[in-house]
Amino acid sequence: MKKIVLATALLLATALAARAWLWPADDAGAPAAPGTLNQQQLVARGAYLARAGNCMTCHTVRGGAAYAGGALLQTPFGAVAAPNITSDRQHGIGDWSGDDFWRALHNGKSRDGRLLYPAFPYTSYTRVRREDSDALYAYLQSVPANNRPNTPHALRFPYNTQLALAAWRALYFRPGVYQGDPRHSVEWNRGAYLVQGLGHCSACHSSRNALGGSDGALTGGMIPMLGWYAPSLVTNDEAALGDWPVTQIVQLLQTGVSPRGNTTGPMAAVVRQSLQYLDNTDMQAMAVYLKHLPASAGTVARQPLPAPSAAVKAQLALGEKLYDKHCASCHQADGGGAPAAYPPLAGNRAVTTTSAVNAIRAILNGGFAPATAGNPRPYGMPPFSHALNDAEVAAVATYIRASWGNHAPEVSALEVNRYRNVPLE
């Protein structure tokens, strides 16, 4: 209760003190030059950009009409419902103008002036250029109208108030279109524009504080409510890609598999629903940008692990037996895996992050790379939650994290139990 009161007081005080800059000016931006694209080309361009932004995933309830809204995004503050963004004039955005749409994308404001919740990642989309906003608008106006009424949000007080949201924006949001960096190539800048903007990678790969604020630094963090860890993209012992060939980064993002590892969990869904549809030029640009992120900015030296205790040695012995029985036939006794089928575990930074949650969930729930055009029949790993108890899962995870040159802390049965019944989505 005290935390809520303190949070409310902070929000109110910030709102009163910073009223002059709570609501950024509604910069209409510069519409795309007339005649640059005909309407058919503009709609096609918008459809491509909607794929890049993975818009359909959030704005489509399972089994429902595309973009008709209704999907609930669970947050620590309650549930945010994605709105209908079809061309329906009553419940969708059929009555919106291009300026209205730009205001939502760039400034996080609805047509009626209401401030939008950042579950709609306008903190990233603000970087999108006006011509791309206009293409997205043209595409969404071409989506068949669906009269599905919008589902109301279910947020707790004070997070359900516009005043609290205004204060949050004062603390954590600054609108601004992406500005190219002349120190880098055109290709690098295109990749930065996609990663920072429509790709909204920082929404998962950056940590959040108690109020949901993020610095967007791609230093990794737990994905709220989903129970997955999105690894740091700027830390060498997590998911920094500086030592990867660009071709392998493209392969991972476009197909979900690579010689160094596969995507599973939420990232597999992003590859399946969004990234696989991007053209080779954009995929190459994203790979170049990700490869050249300054890894030193996020590198944190790990403390040496103590010598294993008798209990940990017993856990490692059990883990080795279970690994030989359940895992070695695919991942090999030396942890080397099988190219294009089973990812290597030796030297795989995905299993040695400080938080063992992803390794735990893969053992419990299985690991499934996405089905993509470049890998239409992916190999999968079956779940072992029915075959192994918490202590046994912990033992396998500990063995994997300490073998073949891997060097990460042991896993406890309590950690495993915490994620045993967490929903997959």
Side-chain angles (χ1 to χ4, degrees):
M1 186 63 184
K2 286 183 178 179
K3 289 183 178 179
I4 294 178
V5 172
L6 287 172
T8 305
L10 173 62
L11 292 169
L12 292 174
T14 306
L16 293 172
R19 184 173 176 80
W21 43 282
L22 291 179
W23 290 275
D26 288 334
D27 178 11
T36 303
L37 298 174
N38 63 38
Q39 188 63 20
Q40 184 177 3
Q41 291 171 326
L42 196 64
V43 169
R45 178 65 180 166
Y48 175 83
L49 294 171
R51 283 283 199 185
N54 204 11
C55 305
M56 186 185 295
T57 297
C58 286
H59 287 277
T60 307
V61 72
R62 182 171 295 180
Y67 297 105
L72 294 177
L73 177 65
Q74 300 297 332
T75 79
F77 316 105
V80 178
N84 183 334
I85 55 172
T86 71
S87 58
D88 184 71
R89 299 177 73 89
Q90 180 180 3
H91 300 295
I93 60 172
D95 271 345
W96 287 38
S97 67
D99 286 347
D100 294 331
F101 186 77
W102 165 260
R103 188 177 298 111
L105 212 65
H106 182 70
N107 279 330
K109 290 186 183 180
S110 186
R111 181 174 181 245
D112 60 6
R114 285 182 306 105
L115 303 178
L116 300 174
Y117 285 96
F120 169 59
Y122 57 81
T123 50
S124 295
Y125 291 167
T126 187
R127 292 172 173 79
V128 173
R129 299 186 181 105
R130 179 62 194 257
E131 59 267 28
D132 283 343
S133 173
D134 287 346
L136 279 165
Y137 169 75
Y139 167 65
L140 291 172
Q141 291 299 306
S142 77
V143 172
N146 187 287
N147 65 353
R148 187 188 192 284
N150 285 305
T151 303
H153 304 312
L155 293 161
R156 300 189 306 277
F157 180 83
Y159 311 112
N160 59 349
T161 68
Q162 286 282 289
L163 184 58
L165 184 51
W168 185 93
R169 289 163 57 98
L171 290 169
Y172 304 116
F173 175 55
R174 298 291 181 275
V177 171
Y178 176 79
Q179 301 297 320
D181 187 338
R183 297 172 299 175
H184 295 283
S185 67
V186 171
E187 184 177 52
W188 184 97
N189 275 285
R190 175 63 180 172
Y193 175 69
L194 290 168
V195 169
Q196 295 179 21
L198 281 174
H200 60 287
C201 303
S202 64
C204 290
H205 286 278
S206 297
S207 60
R208 296 184 180 275
N209 61 25
L211 293 178
S214 169
D215 61 7
L218 299 176
T219 51
M222 288 295 296
I223 304 175
M225 313 307 289
L226 289 186
W228 288 90
Y229 178 72
S232 168
L233 301 178
V234 294
T235 306
N236 284 326
D237 55 5
E238 290 201 4
L241 299 167
D243 63 346
W244 281 49
V246 168
T247 53
Q248 290 187 6
I249 302 174
V250 170
Q251 183 182 3
L252 181 70
L253 297 178
Q254 200 165 50
T255 70
V257 298
S258 78
R260 298 199 186 193
N262 299 352
T263 62
T264 58
M267 188 62 198
V270 171
V271 172
R272 182 180 69 251
Q273 293 155 191
S274 174
L275 294 179
Q276 69 161 318
Y277 298 101
L278 299 193
D279 63 37
N280 290 332
T281 300
D282 279 347
M283 290 306 312
Q284 176 89 5
M286 290 178 70
V288 166
Y289 173 70
L290 291 170
K291 178 178 174 64
H292 292 97
L293 286 173
S296 60
T299 300
V300 178
R302 290 188 177 182
Q303 296 299 317
L305 295 178
S309 64
V312 173
K313 288 180 180 179
Q315 187 184 38
L316 288 168
L318 174 60
E320 183 176 17
K321 290 180 180 179
L322 293 169
Y323 180 88
D324 289 343
K325 178 180 180 181
H326 297 290
C327 314
S329 59
C330 294
H331 293 288
Q332 308 304 314
D334 63 357
Y342 309 112
L345 300 178
N348 189 328
R349 293 172 294 180
V351 301
T352 59
T353 53
T354 301
S355 170
V357 57
N358 293 354
I360 291 170
R361 298 203 67 180
I363 297 169
L364 286 174
N365 307 125
F368 303 94
T372 58
N375 187 36
R377 294 185 177 180
Y379 289 83
M381 170 181 158
F384 289 94
S385 58
H386 63 291
L388 303 177
N389 62 34
D390 293 345
E392 290 171 330
V393 171
V396 173
T398 297
Y399 175 73
I400 291 169
R401 285 160 60 83
S403 300
W404 321 297
N406 292 346
H407 191 66
E410 67 270 14
V411 179
S412 71
L414 184 62
E415 289 179 84
V416 174
N417 185 261
R418 186 181 305 154
Y419 296 105
R420 180 171 283 276
N421 295 313
V422 174
L424 293 178
E425 297 183 359

